Each structure stands twice: as C-alpha cells, then as structure tokens.
Amino acid sequence: MSDLSSPSSPAPSPTGKPPLLEVRDLKVEFADADSVVHAVNGVSYTLNEGETLGIVGESGSGKSVHVLAMLRLIPMPPGRLAGGQVLFEGRDLLTLSDAELRKVRGGSIGFVFQDPMSSLNPSMTVGRQIMEPLQLHLGMGADAARKRAVELMDMVRLPDAARRIDQFPHEFSGGQRQRIMIAMGLSCRPKLLIADEATTALDVTVQADVIELVKELKREIGMAVIWITHDLGVVAGIADTVQVMYAGRVMERGPVDDVFRDPRSAYTLGLLRSLPDLSAPIGQRRRLTQIDGAPPDMRAPPPGDPFAPRNRYATPRCFTEQPPLVQPPGAAPGHLAAAWYDLPALIAAETTP
Ligand SMILES: Nc1ncnc2c1ncn2[C@@H]1O[C@H](COP(=O)(O)OP(=O)(O)O)[C@@H](O)[C@H]1O
Ligand SMILES: [Mg+2]
C-alpha cells in the first residue's frame, strides 16, 4: 500500500513543503425526521501550492457538499459534520473561530459557485460587491478598492469597466455575471480558488475564455485551484490532478494524463467511455455508451464498493467490503484507485479472443 493513500501521510509537494490543503476523512450528513443522507463518506486528499485539482463525478456524488462543508457554508441543521478535518496551511477550518474563518473565506480562499444570479446581490452595484472583500480582507480604503475593482473587471475582460462598475447585476449578461463572480473570487489574490461548476452555465466560447483567464492568473499569482465540473474535457484542459468522486467517496485520483490513459476504477472508465466520440464529424458525435443503472440511495449506502451494482467487472468482495484508495500495481506514482479488481487485466481479457 502506498503511503500516498494514507490520510495521515499526505503526498509531499515537489518542493518538499507541507500541502496547502489537507482534507482528512471528511464526512457530511443531512438528517431529516426519519432518515439520514450520507452525502460525503470519508473524503481524504491533499492539494499542494499552485496545484490544480479537477474533481469530476455524476450529479449527487458529493462534490459540492464537500467543498461547501470545507468552507462551513452548509446550513446545520439539516447538515451535520460527521467527522474529519480540513487543514488549510496547517489550521483546521472546521474548528477555527468564526472571526478567523471569515478572514480565510474570501481572503486566502476565493470561491466561485454556479448560478451567479443567486450569488450576487441584485440590489447592490457590482462595484460595491467587488470592493467589499477588498475592504474587509485587505483593509483597503474606498478609493483604492474602487480602483482595484476596475482593474479586476478589466482582468476578467469586462469591457468598459470604469463606467459599468456602477451598474447592477441584471444589467450584465449571464456570462458577464459569471466573470464578475470570478473577479470577486480572485480579488484578494487567494492562495486557493475553489470553482464549482463555475463555467457550466456559460456558452462554449465564454467558457474557454474563462478557463484561459484562470490559467493566466495561476501563472501570475501561483494560486492553487479546485475546479469542480462534470466535463472531463475541461479537466483535461485545466487540471494537473483529477479526482473522481462517486457516492460521497473518492474512487480514483492521480495525474490527469495517467488517469485518463490508464483508468483503474470501472467508474472512471465508464465516465471516459461516455464521452462523445471526438473523431466523428460534428453533428454525428454520439455518446459511445452510458453507464447503466443509477447511483445508490445515500440514505442506505451499500457496505462495499458503492459502484459494484453498476460494475460488470465487480467481484463478490466488491459487494461486501469497501476497497481502500491505494496505488494499484503498475500505476504511475500518485495514481490511486479504490478497486478490488484489476481493471487493465479485465479489459485485456475482454479484447483478447
Ligand atoms: N440541503 C440538503 N439536504 C439534503 N440532502 C442534500 C442537501 N444538499 C445536498 N444533499 C445531498 O447530498 C448528496 C451530494 O450532493 P452534492 O454534493 O450537491 O452533489 P454534486 O456531486 O452533484 O455536487 C446528494 O445525495 C444530495 O441529494
Ligand atoms: Mg454540485
């Protein structure tokens, strides 16, 4: 078992520095009168300074809940932290005082979530909304904050910023509002940017622009990024590391190229095989195969590998015992998977007559 898989011994960064972020065995539940939804079931990973982590997985796999829980943005109740630690620069965000947490959130950690219309305040000019974190976190005066807000709007390529800074959110298009959210997320030059489906609602060209912008900013300010998306193509374009989540767990994780070329979890393979065939002419690009079946009912998660009921490669053990997240034999360094079966061997056996 590789020590990379152990939550207590995180992957050292190439520079030998401790990781920027270390999530340890995070568990989040939602309780109502007669049931408990086990939304996040022991997620552990590390993120180094400057690293970009792409997180993928079907809807409902716990991607949003786990980052919201890290930032303590889950309403409790109905939410409940069932365990874990989230060490950011060595301090556990889950036990910081509210005052300390506010300094981190929107300060050294910026975030951009889907749906800018509900995240932006409709009755406040965009300028004031961009200025607010600058005044709160960086202690800037109004004039300096306003000047910086114009620069930020220029940076996310919102034209005519000096004039438009005094407009309200509804005066901008959806794509422009998302850029405003990104400007706010980046305003304090965070060490970590968390983006959850931040470009999903945008059309393809605007999406490509925003991704280019985030890459530029990464080069410029060296921030780390957690980029959550259901789009594997976006992950291939932006991320160093990809993490595949299912049923509130990490199923596979590793360098993007290794995971995409040599998947070790049948769930990852299913996601990759469900991509449209890009070699076909536009208009004839069909999804090759869908993953049959539905995710488990998270009120009663299965005892073993949660993907087993949908996995034609599953062994009896998959149904009874949870596989640990470890480096499979022959996988690249840092490539981890939670699987009792040997996927490359099973695929080879299928294709050999
Ligand atoms: N406020 C809530 N109350 C009850 N269940 C919730 C709540 N928010 C999320 N969940 C459940 O938590 C699980 C994970 O959701 P989420 O993290 O939003 O998935 P995704 O991977 O699509 O972002 C889902 O089963 C979802 O139904
Ligand atoms: Mg989500």
Side-chain angles (χ1 to χ4, degrees), residues 66-139:
H66 102 276
V67 289
L68 289 170
M70 277 167 31
L71 298 169
R72 285 172 37 200
L73 292 171
I74 303 260
M76 302 195 180
R80 166 165 95 200
L81 258 166
Q85 290 177 304
V86 177
L87 302 177
F88 179 73
E89 301 188 299
R91 295 192 304 166
D92 187 0
L93 299 182
L94 302 183
T95 57
L96 282 187
S97 71
D98 288 349
E100 285 173 312
L101 181 68
R102 271 195 300 273
K103 281 188 216 151
V104 174
R105 204 165 60 192
S108 34
I109 302 182
F111 49 91
V112 187
F113 295 128
Q114 204 176 3
D115 192 10
M117 212 39 192
S118 65
S119 311
L120 288 170
N121 181 339
S123 59
M124 212 196 246
T125 64
V126 300
R128 276 189 58 208
Q129 294 184 66
I130 301 174
M131 287 162 66
E132 212 166 53
L134 298 170
Q135 295 176 286
L136 181 72
H137 294 292
L138 304 184

Side-chain angles (χ1 to χ4, degrees), residues 30 37 39 58-66 78 196 298:
F30 293 95
V37 175
E58 281 167 305
S59 167
S61 53
K63 304 182 301 295
S64 297
V65 167
H66 102 276
D196 185 358
M298 296 314 287

Side-chain angles (χ1 to χ4, degrees), residues 183-248:
M184 289 170 67
L186 294 168
S187 61
C188 296
R189 300 174 94 79
K191 290 188 177 155
L192 169 62
L193 175 73
I194 300 179
D196 185 358
E197 303 281 7
T199 57
T200 301
L202 305 181
D203 73 50
V204 186
T205 42
V206 181
Q207 184 171 352
D209 270 5
V210 170
I211 288 166
E212 228 14 78
L213 173 73
V214 170
K215 282 195 198 164
E216 254 170 52
L217 290 168
K218 272 179 60 69
R219 281 192 293 270
E220 201 183 300
I221 64 180
M223 67 184 174
V225 176
I226 295 178
W227 193 273
I228 297 178
T229 175
H230 64 276
D231 189 330
L232 294 178
V234 170
V235 167
I238 198 172
D240 307 308
T241 308
V242 61
Q243 176 163 303
V244 180
M245 287 184 63
Y246 185 75

